[in-house]
């Protein structure tokens, strides 16, 4: 099978891979009945399925280097030594890089504050200033123009922001329904937290884009129990639990 065909099979088996597959250009891969992986042209490893079987596939492959990895939860515990010694990759992020990939196809319940959520077309200076204090570690801040931005604005003050990515697909098309849109960079100014700003943004943005695309997805660290509860109340479900691996510090 070609790498593209392997990615397509992985997409059939995993909603996470299917929704994100437009982001990845596969260069190589391996597949079995219980697991599979691709390595992208940029060097990232994307794996799914049974962790012991996935470990065997990677270990038996000819791959010698990787820049990053997205693996099923449990990979760090089962194969952390292999990932570190072979690829110099370690669990990266809170809770050793464990996060939930969540999605919804349903309109959320009406949430207080949605009326303050607006698109922020072209307001990059304001977005940059807000995100610097609201969510300074998000990768979405690296190139603001790559995202569509929405925000929570009250009394002429931008209290929160959230980025939207559609990976180039059009709403109302089969591709739009298949891939949906991804939310990233969600953040609220410290002084506005615990006031429903984040919930209102998620509800309003989800409502808008479920209506346009039929599918919205988001990633949240698995140890962030309060955020997980909020998103579940808004109709999101966890479809995959992922482990991030990034280069070990020198």
């Amino acid at each position: 099978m070609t790498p593209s065909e392997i990615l397509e099979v992985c997409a059939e088996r995993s909603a996470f891979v299917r929704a994100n597959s437009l982001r990845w250009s596969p260069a190589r891969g391996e597949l079995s009945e219980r697991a599979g992986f691709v390595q992208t042209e940029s060097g990232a490893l994307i794996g799914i399925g049974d962790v012991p079987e996935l470990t065997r596939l990677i270990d038996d492959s000819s791959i010698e280097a990787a820049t990053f990895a997205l693996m099923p939860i449990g990979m760090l515990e089962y194969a952390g030594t292999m990932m570190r010694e072979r690829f110099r990759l370690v669990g990266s992020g809170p809770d050793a890089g464990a996060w939930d990939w969540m999605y919804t196809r349903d309109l959320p319940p009406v949430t207080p504050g949605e009326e303050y959520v607006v698109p922020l077309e072209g307001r990059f200076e304001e977005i940059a200033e807000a995100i610097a204090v609201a969510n300074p570690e998000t990768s979405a801040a690296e190139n603001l123009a790559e995202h569509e931005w929405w925000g929570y604005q009250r009394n002429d003050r931008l209290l929160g922001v959230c980025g939207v990515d559609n990976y180039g697909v059009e709403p109302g098309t089969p591709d739009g329904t298949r891939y949906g849109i991804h939310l990233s960079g969600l953040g609220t100014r410290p002084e506005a937290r615990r006031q429903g700003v984040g919930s209102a943004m998620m509800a309003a943005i989800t409502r808008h884009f479920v209506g346009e695309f039929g599918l919205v997805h988001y990633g949240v660290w698995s140890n962030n129990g309060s955020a997980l509860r909020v998103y579940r109340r808004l109709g999101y479900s966890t479809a995959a639990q992922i482990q991030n691996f990034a280069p070990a510090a020198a």
Side-chain angles (χ1 to χ4, degrees), residues 46-185:
I46 316 297
I48 65 163
D50 177 72
V51 168
E53 175 67 3
L54 176 59
T55 301
R56 183 191 68 78
L57 289 176
I58 295 173
D59 203 27
D60 290 347
S61 74
S62 60
I63 295 174
E64 297 180 355
T67 57
F68 190 77
L70 297 172
M71 294 286 140
I73 203 73
M75 193 73 173
L76 179 64
E77 180 179 359
Y78 188 86
T81 300
M82 180 197 72
M83 297 295 287
R84 182 177 62 253
E85 293 182 352
R86 182 166 179 173
F87 303 119
R88 302 174 76 176
L89 298 178
V90 296
S92 174
D95 197 23
W99 57 281
D100 283 36
W101 185 80
M102 308 186 78
Y103 80 100
T104 185
R105 294 186 180 275
D106 300 322
L107 295 175
V110 175
T111 301
E114 285 190 56
E115 66 272 20
Y116 298 113
V117 181
V118 295
L120 302 174
E121 185 175 358
R123 295 167 59 179
F124 294 122
E125 288 188 10
E126 294 176 78
I127 295 165
E129 188 275 331
I131 209 167
V133 294
N135 190 353
E137 296 183 359
T138 178
S139 60
E142 295 172 3
N143 192 337
L144 297 179
E146 290 184 352
H147 312 277
E148 177 180 343
W149 289 93
W150 289 60
Y152 185 104
Q153 183 169 308
R154 188 173 62 201
N155 298 328
D156 295 324
R157 188 144 188 263
L158 193 58
L159 299 180
V161 292
C162 182
V164 178
D165 303 287
N166 68 4
Y167 306 136
V169 300
E170 296 295 329
T173 66
D175 277 353
T177 302
R178 174 180 172 85
Y179 302 111
I181 63 102
H182 185 70
L183 306 183
S184 60

Side-chain angles (χ1 to χ4, degrees), residues 177-228:
T177 302
R178 174 180 172 85
Y179 302 111
I181 63 102
H182 185 70
L183 306 183
S184 60
L186 177 71
T188 302
R189 290 181 182 274
E191 67 272 20
R193 290 173 185 164
R194 301 187 184 279
Q195 299 176 32
V197 172
S199 298
M201 282 195 293
M202 283 293 289
I205 296 168
T206 299
R207 186 180 316 285
H208 178 86
F209 286 102
V210 163
E212 283 200 343
F213 286 85
L215 172 65
V216 179
H217 37 94
Y218 183 62
V220 59
W221 296 117
S222 298
N223 66 351
N224 192 343
S226 59
L228 288 168

